[in-house]
Amino acid sequence: MRVLDSHLHLWDPSRLDYAWLRGPLATRFGAAELAAAHARTDGDITAGDSGHAAAVFVQADCAEEQFLDEVRWVAENAEQTGVIGIVAGARLDRGAETADYLASLAELPLVVGVRHLLQGEPDGTATSETFLTGAETLAARGWTFDACIREQQLPDVDVLATSVPTLRIVLDHLGKPAVGTAAAPLAPSADWIRGIRAVAAHGQVSIKLSGLPGEAGGSWTAAQLIPFLDVAAEAVGPYHLLWGSDWPVSAIGADGYRPADRDRWLQTVADWAVARGHDVDAILWGNAARIYRVG
């Protein structure tokens, strides 16, 4: 079974600055650490086979002035990490500065999209005039936009998709719904379901099956998270779903870094897709390859 991880993070605090890193995440997660995580794979998932595994790197929120340096560093390590596409950090609300930055980004290898991290921005950021202008400039380049938001910001993504219909949007982490924990699971909320359905109604929107283990603080069960996968599949259809590991963020639990959790999440999504009769190869490889235009 081939696997294209649509949401891989890599970082090295000795090379770049990451103000948000804390606890077990505040160390290097690079080629060697990723190889060790892959080596744990067993069962039906052959993620350790370089001929059947690849990844799209998603910006890891380094200091803004280092966004281009992050792309260069990841590209330098692409062969060792299996990265075949890069979603770079960007600010889309800087007017002419945004256009100049995207032009500079276009000169670097492997870039397929950008992410302006919205989860920490005020609600309405993605619907501002300056942001929409930047989104139009991004769409003109044919790149994707990864929307990493909180659940209450789903209406902003709806407006963004309406305002810039040529922009291909990938919703990270299913919009970060509240999922609870294994001991105290939460069902999908009515507001989240409504928001997902509204966003999914736009043909250019896809949903990344990623991040839910992280939203559960590393304490999760398949039974707890599968209802969220079902809602996403019903809303957008199986050919706009992408599996992503959110490694290493979603491999952190109360007891620290747990490398096996990457493939536990992979197996959970694969088993769910088989049980529901979905196209497993599309969800684990083909959709991401098509949407990010990486082969």
Side-chain angles (χ1 to χ4, degrees), residues 1-285:
M1 187 178 296
R2 58 183 186 163
V3 177
L4 173 49
D5 183 350
S6 70
H7 204 95
L8 175 72
H9 296 301
L10 301 162
W11 57 72
D12 184 350
S14 72
R15 291 286 302 268
L16 301 169
D17 299 321
Y18 307 87
W20 65 277
L21 290 182
R22 297 287 187 276
L25 288 176
T27 187
R28 175 187 168 92
F29 284 95
E33 293 77 17
L34 181 62
H38 279 177
R40 303 180 66 93
T41 303
D42 55 17
D44 296 330
I45 304 298
T46 57
D49 180 349
S50 61
H52 294 83
V56 172
F57 167 83
V58 177
Q59 67 97 10
D61 200 24
C62 65
E64 182 183 340
E65 63 271 17
Q66 297 176 336
F67 282 170
L68 295 178
D69 293 328
E70 181 181 50
V71 172
R72 294 185 186 100
W73 177 70
V74 172
E76 289 169 5
N77 290 276
E79 184 174 353
Q80 299 97 311
T81 57
V83 169
I84 59 175
I86 293 174
V87 176
R91 295 286 310 197
L92 296 185
D93 57 354
R94 298 284 170 78
E97 184 180 329
T98 292
D100 291 343
Y101 170 78
L102 294 178
S104 297
L105 198 59
E107 298 176 359
L108 301 182
L110 300 181
V111 176
V112 296
V114 307
R115 182 168 80 162
H116 176 143
L117 200 58
L118 292 169
Q119 64 180 13
E121 298 273 21
D123 295 353
T125 296
T127 65
S128 68
E129 182 178 351
T130 52
F131 191 99
L132 294 176
T133 298
E136 290 170 350
T137 303
L138 177 64
R141 290 192 173 276
W143 289 342
T144 61
F145 175 68
D146 265 51
C148 186
I149 61 167
R150 300 292 180 186
E151 177 179 336
Q152 73 272 11
Q153 294 171 308
L154 280 167
D156 288 354
V157 180
D158 184 14
V159 173
L160 175 62
T162 299
S163 302
V164 192
T166 57
L167 180 66
R168 289 178 294 120
I169 299 172
V170 181
L171 181 65
D172 292 349
H173 312 330
L174 294 87
K176 289 200 166 186
V179 299
T181 64
L186 295 176
S189 71
D191 286 345
W192 176 75
I193 293 172
R194 187 180 308 110
I196 281 290
R197 287 175 175 170
V199 167
H202 301 278
Q204 81 269 34
V205 173
S206 299
I207 298 175
K208 203 173 283 189
L209 304 181
S210 61
L212 296 189
E215 291 305 295
S219 172
W220 60 277
T221 67
Q224 171 195 0
L225 300 185
I226 280 174
F228 295 87
L229 305 184
D230 285 336
V231 170
E234 183 274 332
V236 80
Y239 293 101
H240 283 273
L241 298 175
L242 305 74
W243 176 78
S245 69
D246 191 31
W247 185 88
V249 177
S250 283
I252 301 295
D255 53 350
Y257 174 53
R258 302 187 298 199
D261 273 13
R262 174 193 179 277
D263 294 319
R264 181 183 167 212
W265 176 239
L266 174 57
Q267 194 70 60
T268 295
V269 173
D271 290 347
W272 163 80
V274 169
R276 297 295 190 263
H278 297 321
D279 187 334
V280 180
D281 184 67
I283 292 171
L284 298 187
W285 184 284

